Amino acid sequence: MGTKVCTTRKGAVRGRTGSDGVTSFLGIPYAAPPFGPLRFREPAPADPWEGVRDALEHGPSAPRAPYAPPMDVLIPDADGGQGEDCLNLSLWTPHPGPGGGLPVLVWLHGGAFSNGSGVGPAYDGRAFARDGVVCVNVNYRLGTDGFLRLPGRPDNRGLLDQIAALEWVRDNIEAFGGAPDRVTVFGESAGGMSIGVLLAQPRARGLFHQAILQSGAAHHHLLPDTADLITARLAAKLGIRADGADLADAFAAVPFEALLPAQSELRAEMGARPDPALWGEAVLNMMPFEPVLESLPLPSPDRGVRLLAGSNREEYRLFLVPTERLHLLGEAKLRRTAAEYGLDPDKALPVYAESRPGAAPGELFDAVATDWFYRIPAIRAVESVPGSYLYEFAWRSPQFGGLLGACHAVELAFVFDNLRDPVYTPMLGAEPPQAVADAVHGAWVAFATTGDPGWDAYGPQTRTTMVFGASPDTPAEVVQDPRAAERALWEGVR
């Protein structure tokens, strides 16, 4: 136990060393607070400081509304404060000082671009540092501040924050034992979708050398016209009548006590009235806040970034089981959604039903939505970069009478090798299998360290996929082209 001082380009920081030899440095600013005159602007450089700055507690995370029930119990979120100085990061290292040359993992959290935080016990990076990897967790702007389209202001400010954090890693990580040319960025859900965008951004080129995309890949974004619709609807909800260059100032004048609940209400309204005339193509994603792009190209192999991507087998159950929608969805909704996703219901639904005898419409809905949102984008990402790797997480949570299954976000505790933290108990139950955590966490460490997670790369002939936790006796198993008939249905579909 004790403290350790490392020096960044802005000043020295003091971290705390635990009994395991891992030193944490928490709440380090990588950019200036994005408020006041910097509201809705690109991230600006952080101010330097004199002396040694304590980095012993996590910094505030971005202002955001809490998850709506029952997600507020199931999905881990930080209990710490929110505040203006939210563009900060935390890191864990086994070698607090220059000369370590260690691989680096940079975590981008999920939360539908409007919730979540990079700090807190759920994403504690100590296990990665224990295993020889410097782990960096990033906070970035969310919701209106991070992603609402505003005239005269840059789009995708939350993504610009992520780039600024990666620039901080490039410029400073050597002081904490990391190697700036061995950086792997990894993220889940909105974090994985962010990486899918960063892979095509010129400003992000060279800032990371590998990427792990969990349950989110090159798929989700808003077209500018749709983003403008959402801005107009949120403005109307808040009683804002300004337009043009005055619109950003009008939003800035709304206190967070009113702005954050309005954001949550907007998403609820989208779910209650999924009319494309109101929301554009956002009705498919059900997320009012996303990166705004004219198009989202697949990752290009000329970036030189190797990928590890994948999804959970029953992702969409997180949104169906706790809300009791799994058994309420009918055949009409199933067929309509399949058609909206670009499938022919008459041809596709029998294929899904064949491998799920007796499945109710809600269970088939989960399978189709899981593929559209998560599995197919992951496959397309690794297909686009030869030498990349595909996984599927299949361990089924026993919660909700076993119905929760291998749902969205269930893999997080396994990735961070943090099964025993009580924050994960509502999602995982009392006895999640450590052997699966050893396999998943070990694969992430191996990929960050060597570029090889421990199985063959994905290719069009074999379609090699590592499946984690499919049965109690099989923590990891290589499978060739799992559910091939269902995968083939999506060929040629957006």
Side-chain angles (χ1 to χ4, degrees), residues 52-145:
V52 179
R53 178 186 181 120
D54 279 339
L56 306 175
E57 303 291 339
H58 288 296
S61 50
R64 63 197 185 280
Y67 285 106
M71 301 305 170
D72 57 338
V73 174
L74 290 172
I75 301 179
D77 200 2
D79 294 328
Q82 305 173 26
E84 294 191 355
D85 198 5
C86 59
L87 299 188
N88 60 74
L89 53 80
S90 296
L91 68 86
W92 294 260
T93 176
H95 190 291
L102 297 175
V104 181
L105 276 165
V106 179
W107 172 247
L108 303 179
H109 69 82
F113 298 99
S114 57
N115 295 102
S117 167
V119 302
Y123 304 142
D124 189 293
R126 187 169 299 274
F128 284 114
R130 174 201 68 198
D131 294 332
V133 179
V134 180
C135 184
V136 182
N137 290 6
V138 175
N139 283 322
Y140 56 93
R141 280 175 284 182
L142 304 168
T144 296
D145 279 76

Side-chain angles (χ1 to χ4, degrees), residues 285-357:
N285 301 346
M286 287 297 167
M287 293 192 293
F289 301 103
E290 292 186 85
V292 181
L293 303 162
E294 293 286 355
S295 64
L296 180 54
L298 287 169
S300 172
D302 68 4
R303 297 292 289 255
V305 177
R306 183 184 289 110
L307 308 182
L308 167 59
S311 58
N312 300 345
R313 183 168 289 179
E314 300 165 307
E315 298 264 10
Y316 218 75
R317 283 178 178 251
L318 178 64
F319 312 107
L320 299 177
V321 172
T323 59
E324 300 183 348
R325 293 175 60 209
L326 183 72
H327 298 305
L328 296 177
L329 283 170
E331 183 74 18
K333 173 65 172 177
L334 170 62
R335 291 180 60 84
R336 184 169 63 251
T337 300
E340 290 171 345
Y341 289 164
L343 298 177
D344 180 341
D346 291 328
K347 294 180 180 178
L349 295 181
V351 175
Y352 278 94
E354 184 177 358
S355 59
R356 299 167 181 82

